[in-house]
Amino acid sequence: MSGDEETMRRAPRRTGGVPELSEMLTARELKAARTLGVADLGHLLRLPPNRYVVPGPLNFLGDMTEGEEVSAVATVRDVRDRSMRNRPGSILSVLIDDGTDAISLTFFLAKAHLVAWHRKNLRPGVRIHVSGTVGNHNGERQIVHPDYVVLDEDHTIDEAMRPIPVYPLRGRVTQAAMRQAFRSALEFAPLLPDVIPSDILREQGLPSLQEALAALHAPHTIDDTRRGMAHLAFEEAFVLQTIFAQRRAADELTPAPPLRAEGPLQGLLRDRLPFTLTQGQEEVAAAIAERISRDMPTSVLLQGDVGSGKTVVALLAMLRAVDSGHQAALLAPTEVLAEQHHRTIMELLGELGRAGRIDGVPEATRVRLLTGSQRVARRRETLLDVTSGEAGLVVGTHALLTESVEFASLGLVVIDEQHRFGVDHRRRLRTRGADGRSPHVVVMTATPIPRSAALAIVGDLDVLSLREMPSRRAGTTSFVVPETQRSWHDRMWERVLEEVRAGRQAFVVCPRINDADETEAPVAPDGGGAPRGVEETYERLRADPRFADVRIGMLHGRLPAEEKQRSMQAMANRELDLLVATTVIEVGVDVPTASAMVVLDAERFGVSQLHQLRGRVGRGEHPGIVFFATTAAPGSESLEHLGRIAGTQDGFELARLDLERRGVGDLVGSQQSGLHRTLRHLDVLHDSEVIEAARTSAAALVAVDADLDAHPGLAEAVDDRLRDADPDVERS
């Protein structure tokens, strides 16, 4: 292909939008770009290099010493190659000098075409800029596999001193091919629409998109690369916050029932509580009450550590809905948790939750439980109470989302452990309000996250945090038990038995249901043997003479619903001393007399899982003791990681640890793994100021132009992000 033909083929199509990559890149360049999984020019150029090679200051060859990282301009004097003695390939030796001294450049090359390529570039008489580390071979200085640039009219010394991008590589693509693909793509950067309006760029002191991309892929200095990344980080935050701002604006156009009543149920509940709310609980309860009193839908994220008292705060809000003449629903991810919530609410309400019964009071409401495994007659009775409005409070699982469930007047939805629900699930509940009104939503999570992360992930929610722990909880102490230490292992089980024989209860948690079930066990990061299952552990403990007088039960997700209910009820009634279970007990299970827990193969669980699990003990007057039993190898990262978890009870600190270790958890969608596939440039732990600034700018822009008609580049970026179908940017 001639130069003119190549230029014509690459000429940008300036009508109809940005050309396809295949119209801008050669076949070789396109092949390299495709290995990165990019769809178009914008995606390609927004992929920053992994790092940059920065040439050091220029040196004279005569001043170079062994082990020094050097950079020099010199002339090629001689080029020779010979076959390697002990393996296929050649050694290419290139002698260069700069007038002060000479030095050899050495290349070990496996293929003949690589020798030919270097010989073509490094001809005698050619001036080059070379950089690398000075070594020594048989008493003579050399530089092995240096970086070099041939200096000519197109490549001056100033250009040779620029940072060199190093891109990720896939398959058999070379770094040279990848760099050429990005250089060619960069020529078309002016065709990309600006996402951030120019006035906001000026306010934030950011370069334009074209300048930012040039700074990333053809920088003059390292400072240029930082400016380029600053643009991409703000752009990403700005697009996310624009989506959230649009949704908040849409909420303001939808009416909601104002829940403004102060009693009587709220006051009566406070009077009968066996404890006093903490100052933090009072403040958060008041903040929620203020928000749900508005006539537009409120969306609140109520986050608090394990045992911080979220349920009581949520129950006060639910009673405010009932006092205001409406209904409230609490949605839980599992039947075990829904049943636990129902029992807890009934215990807290007492006679206040027994409307229509002889042991109720005149002001009482009716509390109903709806799950998928309920018998037909009970389900029909529950649905009738929900439809008629007789049930002021409804607790349920996904069964609440079916078309057969019709609320008389739903005013408030509380979603517990909402990261286990898909986006569509939550949206369906928001449409269940009466007379075209949308219920208020309070989302609860016991996996607290730093505020900057919360704004990045759930920016359409008001974030309220409970950081104060009720003094009535005895708390827990955690220990890591390497099972290679036999004495520690034996003492762990002795302590469990001591707690049981003192009249208290214990949990043993396993990573899967049975030893043969590979699908149930989380993958261990390093070390450790095969994970243990509930069924085998249950049988081993029952056969252990030390546990002969211990009443042992079993609980996992594959048991029939009635059997699961019997196991949990037996624990609650103190008919069991020890329960062997999977993480089905991770959230919501409340056994005040449980004081000991053993987590087997603890290295297979995540930070939040371990923290949630240990929150199941020490909930009453007796302090809890938790053992993270592990088969992780001594000195391994997993063992050190478990030690850090055991060393702190602060859920917010643990959340930071988790974020640093594996990325931001997905608190809005159905995925719980890292956000790296969604947040490509933002660091939510360190970019809090960027996220706050983007939130403010996006809110101001959407207030003026909610449909983004005047900002087509931003509208396209919003559509593109939503087409990714990442649940992290979906409405909660």
Side-chain angles (χ1 to χ4, degrees):
M1 182 182 291
S2 69
D4 289 342
E5 289 173 332
E6 176 74 354
T7 301
M8 290 176 63
R9 190 185 71 75
R10 280 196 177 166
R13 185 180 61 192
R14 297 189 181 276
T15 59
V18 180
E20 297 291 330
L21 282 176
S22 58
E23 300 175 75
M24 295 181 278
L25 305 181
T26 65
R28 182 168 179 261
E29 294 164 355
L30 182 63
K31 179 181 178 181
R34 291 295 192 209
T35 64
L36 300 177
V38 296
D40 54 40
L41 180 68
H43 287 151
L44 176 63
L45 290 180
R46 285 180 172 86
L47 281 177
N50 280 350
R51 58 187 176 88
Y52 297 87
V53 175
V54 182
L58 288 174
N59 304 78
F60 290 112
L61 296 182
D63 296 335
M64 294 180 179
T65 58
E66 185 178 343
E68 185 180 7
E69 191 82 22
V70 298
S71 175
V73 174
T75 302
V76 176
R77 295 306 180 195
D78 187 45
V79 183
R80 300 181 182 184
D81 65 85
R82 67 181 190 277
S83 297
M84 286 190 268
R85 293 179 181 177
N86 300 321
R87 55 177 174 165
S90 302
I91 300 174
L92 181 70
S93 296
V94 181
L95 183 67
I96 63 172
D97 78 56
D98 68 347
T100 68
D101 204 347
I103 195 171
S104 291
L105 310 180
T106 303
F107 301 86
F108 298 92
L109 304 171
K111 303 292 184 181
H113 74 274
L114 295 176
V115 176
W117 186 83
H118 283 292
R119 273 188 168 276
K120 178 182 176 182
N121 291 321
L122 298 172
R123 300 184 306 276
V126 168
R127 291 180 73 240
I128 64 171
H129 172 267
V130 62
S131 57
T133 302
V134 179
N136 186 298
H137 179 66
N138 293 333
E140 294 187 4
R141 295 177 306 155
Q142 68 172 358
I143 303 176
V144 178
H145 284 290
D147 290 312
Y148 68 87
V149 175
V150 176
L151 300 178
D152 52 27
E153 293 180 359
D154 296 325
H155 296 89
T156 66
I157 185 61
D158 287 341
E159 289 181 333
M161 296 299 290
R162 293 179 180 180
I164 303 169
V166 179
Y167 295 100
L169 298 178
R170 307 281 189 276
R172 303 178 67 181
V173 175
T174 66
Q175 191 63 232
M178 190 64 77
R179 285 173 181 156
Q180 184 57 50
F182 275 91
R183 279 195 294 268
S184 297
L186 193 59
E187 297 175 15
F188 296 85
L191 298 181
L192 292 173
D194 287 316
V195 172
I196 308 171
S198 56
D199 58 335
I200 295 177
L201 287 176
R202 286 192 297 273
E203 289 173 6
Q204 301 301 323
L206 293 171
S208 68
L209 177 61
Q210 182 179 350
E211 292 168 336
L213 297 177
L216 282 175
H217 301 294
H220 288 77
T221 66
I222 282 296
D223 283 343
D224 287 346
T225 69
R226 298 188 185 102
R227 294 180 68 242
M229 284 304 301
H231 178 106
L232 293 188
F234 186 88
E235 180 187 88
E236 184 167 55
F238 186 66
V239 171
L240 285 173
Q241 296 304 325
T242 298
I243 292 171
F244 296 143
Q246 285 182 310
R247 287 170 172 168
R248 288 193 299 271
D251 279 349
E252 292 176 3
L253 300 177
T254 306
L259 310 179
R260 295 172 178 158
E262 294 293 340
L265 285 172
Q266 298 160 80
L268 292 172
L269 172 64
R270 286 175 174 274
D271 291 341
R272 75 180 312 277
L273 286 176
F275 51 81
T276 303
L277 298 186
T278 66
Q279 181 179 345
Q281 286 174 310
E282 291 286 10
E283 291 173 354
V284 170
I288 293 175
E290 188 278 325
R291 285 165 171 77
I292 64 178
S293 68
R294 303 169 186 172
D295 58 4
M296 63 183 69
T298 296
S299 295
V300 171
L301 173 65
L302 172 57
Q303 64 172 8
D305 208 346
V306 175
S308 59
K310 299 181 296 297
T311 302
V312 174
V313 171
L315 180 55
L316 283 169
M318 294 170 74
L319 292 181
R320 174 172 284 260
V322 177
D323 284 338
S324 302
H326 298 281
Q327 295 166 291
L330 193 159
L331 184 62
T334 66
E335 291 196 359
V336 169
L337 183 52
E339 290 159 359
Q340 177 69 55
H341 274 309
H342 183 259
R343 281 196 299 274
T344 299
I345 288 174
M346 290 301 295
E347 289 169 4
L348 289 172
L349 290 178
E351 66 275 7
L352 302 179
R354 301 176 188 143
R357 291 170 45 176
I358 194 169
D359 55 350
V361 295
E363 300 88 350
T365 188
R366 188 168 295 172
V367 184
R368 281 297 193 181
L369 174 67
L370 185 67
T371 64
S373 65
Q374 278 181 326
R375 295 185 182 279
V376 174
R378 185 64 179 272
R379 180 180 178 84
R380 187 180 296 117
E381 182 181 321
T382 297
L383 290 175
L384 181 61
D385 281 350
V386 173
T387 304
S388 66
E390 289 294 324
L393 303 181
V394 185
V395 181
T397 57
H398 297 77
L400 284 176
L401 303 172
T402 61
E403 294 299 328
S404 60
V405 181
E406 294 184 7
F407 291 87
S409 181
L410 185 60
L412 174 67
V413 176
V414 176
I415 302 173
D416 193 22
E417 293 306 321
Q418 46 77 48
H419 56 281
R420 300 196 178 193
F421 290 96
V423 174
D424 290 341
H425 292 147
R426 298 191 294 275
R427 283 183 171 172
R428 268 180 261 162
L429 269 179
R430 291 192 69 109
T431 64
R432 297 300 175 90
D435 304 324
R437 295 188 291 183
S438 177
H440 302 279
V441 174
V442 174
V443 173
M444 296 197 300
T445 179
T447 308
I449 53 175
R451 178 171 173 77
S452 59
L455 289 178
I457 307 164
V458 289
D460 59 342
L461 296 176
D462 286 333
V463 182
L464 298 176
S465 300
L466 282 170
R467 302 191 71 105
E468 185 181 0
M469 298 297 287
S471 59
R472 61 185 179 276
R473 283 180 60 102
T476 63
T477 305
S478 304
F479 299 93
V480 178
V481 180
E483 297 201 37
T484 53
Q485 300 284 338
R486 196 63 200 177
S487 60
W488 291 25
H489 177 266
D490 291 342
R491 179 57 184 151
M492 173 182 75
W493 290 113
E494 288 173 8
R495 281 293 290 117
V496 171
L497 286 169
E498 288 169 8
E499 291 297 307
V500 168
R501 286 167 184 153
R504 296 184 278 276
Q505 294 167 284
F507 292 104
V508 175
V509 182
C510 304
R512 61 183 180 183
I513 293 173
N514 59 59
D515 288 357
D517 191 344
E518 292 293 340
T519 63
E520 287 291 324
V523 176
D526 55 49
R532 285 158 288 191
V534 168
E535 294 174 348
E536 289 78 10
T537 301
Y538 170 76
E539 294 298 339
R540 279 195 291 268
L541 291 177
R542 289 187 66 193
D544 190 327
R546 294 174 297 178
F547 289 83
D549 59 344
V550 176
R551 298 169 299 177
I552 304 175
M554 179 172 61
L555 179 66
H556 58 72
R558 292 184 192 164
L559 293 173
E562 291 183 358
E563 193 169 338
K564 286 189 287 187
Q565 175 63 30
R566 280 198 300 270
S567 292
M568 283 311 306
Q569 195 62 51
M571 278 295 281
N573 295 341
R574 303 184 66 173
E575 296 166 3
L576 289 176
D577 301 311
L578 187 148
L579 184 66
V580 184
T582 58
T583 54
V584 70
I585 67 161
E586 178 185 343
V587 291
V589 174
D590 189 9
V591 182
T593 52
S595 62
M597 174 178 286
V598 173
V599 182
L600 296 176
D601 303 305
E603 71 277 5
R604 294 179 177 270
F605 297 90
V607 175
S608 61
Q609 273 189 314
L610 290 174
H611 189 51
Q612 292 265 26
L613 285 168
R614 69 180 170 189
R616 299 309 107 204
V617 300
R619 301 175 70 86
E621 58 180 310
H622 302 290
I625 185 167
V626 176
F627 300 101
F628 296 148
T630 177
T631 57
S636 66
E637 182 183 346
S638 287
L639 202 60
E640 179 184 351
H641 185 59
L642 287 173
R644 294 178 68 182
I645 300 170
T648 180
Q649 296 289 326
D650 187 335
F652 287 85
E653 181 59 32
L654 288 170
R656 181 173 290 275
L657 170 65
D658 199 20
L659 288 171
E660 290 173 350
R661 181 177 169 86
R662 66 184 185 94
V664 180
D666 174 4
L667 292 184
V668 185
S670 58
Q671 302 295 319
Q672 296 189 63
S673 58
L675 249 179
H676 49 273
R677 65 191 176 88
T678 299
L679 297 185
R680 300 177 180 92
H681 310 297
L682 271 177
D683 182 336
V684 296
L685 284 176
H686 302 106
D687 289 339
S688 57
E689 293 182 2
V690 173
I691 295 166
E692 289 278 8
R695 183 177 171 89
T696 301
S697 297
L701 183 146
V702 169
V704 175
D705 182 10
D707 294 327
L708 308 181
D709 293 332
H711 306 283
L714 176 58
E716 182 180 336
V718 166
D719 290 342
D720 186 48
R721 174 50 64 99
L722 292 176
R723 273 196 302 272
D724 285 346
D726 281 330
D728 307 275
V729 298
E730 292 289 353
R731 169 184 230 40
S732 33

